[in-house]
Structures are given as C-alpha cells and as structure tokens.
Amino acid sequence: MKLIITGLYAGQVQAMPGDGRPTAIFKTPVSGRMAIGREGLAGDAQADRRVHGGPDKALHHFPAETHARLAARFPGAASTLGPGALGENFSTLGADETTVCIGDVFALGTARVQLCQPRQPCWKIEARHGVEGMTRAIADDGIAGWYYRVIETGAVELGDSIELIERTPAALTLAAFWVLVHQHRPDLDALQRLRDTPGLAVNWQQKLDQRINWLRAN
C-alpha cells in the first residue's frame, strides 16, 4: 500500500463559534516541509489534552473519500465538509478503515509511524458542522479515521507518500476491530488476540483487559 498525501493540516486552539469552549478541530492547510515530532506535526495543537493528543494520538489520518460519504448523508453540512474539516492532519485517497490494520507501520515522509488506534469521534464534530447525529453516525459506522504514534521522527510535505512497510500477520483491519468490539458477547480468544496485537495503544489494551476480565467472570 502506497498513498500520496493530498492534504496536510494543522491548527491552534480557538473558541468554538457559538459555544465558546476551546477546540482545535479547525485545521488549515499547511505548506512546506513540516517537522514530525513524538507528539505530532509542528504547529498543531489540541485543546483537551485529557482525550486528544499525546504519543498514542500524535497524528490523525482521515480518508478524503469519507467526507463525500458524510456530505451525502448530511447534506446540510455539505458546504463545510471536505479534507481537513474533521480535525485531521493528513488526507489521502485510496485507503480507509477496511484496508488499514492495527499495528501497521508506515513510512510517512522521512518519519516512521504506527497505526495504534482508531479515532473515537466527540461532540466537537457536530458543533463544528452544525448538524445533529453526525457524531453518532460516524461512531456507528466506524469511520472516524485513525491515529498514529511516531516511532521515528522526521518531516513531511504535501505530495509525499505514506507507504506500508510492516504489518503483523492476522492483524485486524479497523473495520473488523469495530465489529468485534461492538459485539455484545465477542469471542474471548478473538478479543484477546486483538488486545495482544503489537502496537495497540495502551488505553485500548486497558479497555480490552477490563472487558475480557468481565466476560470471563460473567
């Protein structure tokens, strides 16, 4: 898998219009060569560091095709949807949650990054686009994109490639990940294999440990 970066975005914390709460979901296109550090793209920020940012949410990748899918479902937001409008740092064509896997390692410009967890959408999406139900639809369909951790720092610019260089055998795609975790009583062995997938973010390891223990006890 080799993708081309068609959009590169960063943003600073600002007040949500009509709401006033701090947000960094408003990203703008950036140009030139941008440094990638352990906590993300130079010049990018997160408002609520309890749930956004940090090493396991350093970079957010969102498929450009999904914007068109959301615009068709929510025509009232079509004018505001487009690459960069969901708070992502990277936009590409040709890959989505059905084709990328937990633990995948990519060459991203001169950096090396690892897909460590899916994004879980929050209230800021609906506040940003002014439509009800979008956050729930994105969560239900598992189409919020994904996060990378940075395993080797480097730099990137528009037009650089994102190339898959390592995949764990039998790793789950993000689409399969969401199917499994949404099941009422998932297969315990499958859940344990997911929990033990190399590269999975620590917060998901902890969530899965709790669920596995509960299922075993009940």
Side-chain angles (χ1 to χ4, degrees):
M1 180 190 305
K2 186 174 183 178
L3 310 169
I4 301 300
I5 298 170
T6 56
L8 187 59
Y9 310 96
Q12 292 296 305
V13 178
Q14 65 180 74
M16 181 71 76
D19 182 286
R21 284 182 284 182
T23 181
I25 196 172
F26 292 89
K27 307 296 186 186
T28 56
V30 294
S31 59
R33 201 133 189 89
M34 305 296 293
I36 295 176
R38 294 292 179 184
E39 295 205 358
L41 195 65
D44 193 43
Q46 301 82 35
D48 187 348
R49 296 283 294 183
R50 299 170 302 165
V51 292
H52 297 291
D56 279 354
K57 295 180 179 179
L59 300 163
H60 178 216
H61 187 160
F62 191 82
E65 297 95 328
T66 306
H67 283 289
R69 178 175 172 179
L70 289 171
R73 185 164 180 177
F74 298 95
S79 63
T80 59
L81 284 165
L86 268 292
E88 66 264 37
N89 299 118
F90 299 103
S91 182
T92 60
L93 293 164
D96 61 16
E97 287 81 2
T98 67
T99 56
V100 297
C101 296
I102 295 291
D104 281 353
V105 176
F106 293 86
L108 171 56
T110 62
R112 296 291 182 272
V113 300
Q114 184 173 42
L115 196 164
C116 57
Q117 63 181 311
R119 181 189 180 184
Q120 295 178 277
C122 70
W123 64 270
K124 293 180 181 179
I125 291 175
E126 291 186 9
R128 161 76 171 84
H129 295 284
V131 292
E132 293 184 3
M134 185 181 290
T135 299
R136 173 52 58 190
I138 290 171
D140 288 347
D141 291 349
I143 54 170
W146 52 89
Y147 286 114
Y148 298 117
R149 72 164 58 91
V150 178
I151 55 179
E152 291 182 21
T153 61
V156 66
E157 63 183 323
L158 196 65
D160 278 355
S161 64
I162 301 180
E163 184 173 4
L164 179 66
I165 57 175
E166 182 181 332
R167 172 169 288 175
T168 299
L172 286 183
T173 66
L174 290 187
F177 172 103
W178 284 124
V179 169
L180 180 61
V181 301
H182 284 157
Q183 288 175 359
H184 177 60
R185 293 196 70 91
D187 179 80
L188 272 171
D189 289 339
L191 211 59
Q192 187 67 55
R193 286 194 297 272
L194 173 58
R195 184 260 178 259
D196 294 338
T197 301
L200 180 66
V202 171
N203 62 302
W204 271 104
Q205 291 177 6
Q206 293 169 342
K207 289 179 184 178
L208 292 172
D209 281 337
Q210 292 171 0
R211 191 168 187 201
I212 289 166
N213 291 336
W214 187 91
L215 288 167
R216 283 178 175 157
N218 294 274

